[in-house]
Amino acid sequence: MSDKQELIQALIRLVIERADTSKGEFGRGYYLMNYHHPIVWDLYQRYRLAHQMPDYQPMGDGDRLDFELSLLSGGILREIAAWCRWRQGELEKTEELKRSAGI
């Protein structure tokens, strides 16, 4: 597995874990790309073929993020990792405020 693929696998977990589920389930609001764009749609279809995914079965969140992250450069992936670290800090601050307020 390449360094990029290892980073992608780690980011899939981190992005899902840091999603703000207070606004609903993880999903459409957290997708990084609109796969209805013609170029992205073509890449999406190629990804499905390469990974032997049937057309009739929708991608799960992990597969969708793997596809989206695989299109990004290493620098952007590192930026996403930095965002995940920042988001984790924000979540921890919120939890600490709730605890101190007795919520």
Side-chain angles (χ1 to χ4, degrees):
M1 185 178 294
S2 71
D3 289 343
K4 182 178 178 180
Q5 191 58 34
E6 287 178 23
L7 180 55
I8 288 171
Q9 293 305 310
L11 285 174
I12 290 169
R13 181 178 40 76
L14 290 174
V15 170
I16 290 173
E17 287 174 359
R18 271 92 180 147
D20 180 0
T21 55
S22 67
K23 296 176 184 166
E25 293 296 316
F26 179 84
R28 286 187 298 258
Y30 292 96
Y31 292 149
L32 303 173
M33 297 177 189
N34 176 1
Y35 71 91
H36 292 290
H37 185 283
I39 294 170
V40 177
W41 181 254
D42 183 60
L43 296 169
Y44 175 81
Q45 293 298 339
R46 286 194 234 169
Y47 179 91
R48 291 181 70 91
L49 282 172
H51 291 84
Q52 300 174 349
M53 296 176 167
D55 286 338
Y56 59 85
Q57 183 177 0
M59 278 189 186
D61 291 335
D63 289 329
R64 173 73 183 252
L65 280 169
D66 184 58
F67 160 68
E68 292 178 349
L69 293 171
S70 71
L71 299 177
L72 303 175
S73 71
I76 296 299
L77 294 173
R78 287 187 289 280
E79 288 294 322
I80 293 171
W83 179 88
C84 288
R85 288 190 297 275
W86 169 82
R87 179 73 179 133
Q88 182 60 36
E90 292 297 305
L91 292 172
E92 289 170 1
K93 286 179 196 174
T94 300
E95 287 303 314
E96 182 57 36
L97 287 172
K98 285 181 181 178
R99 278 193 295 276
S100 66
I103 298 175

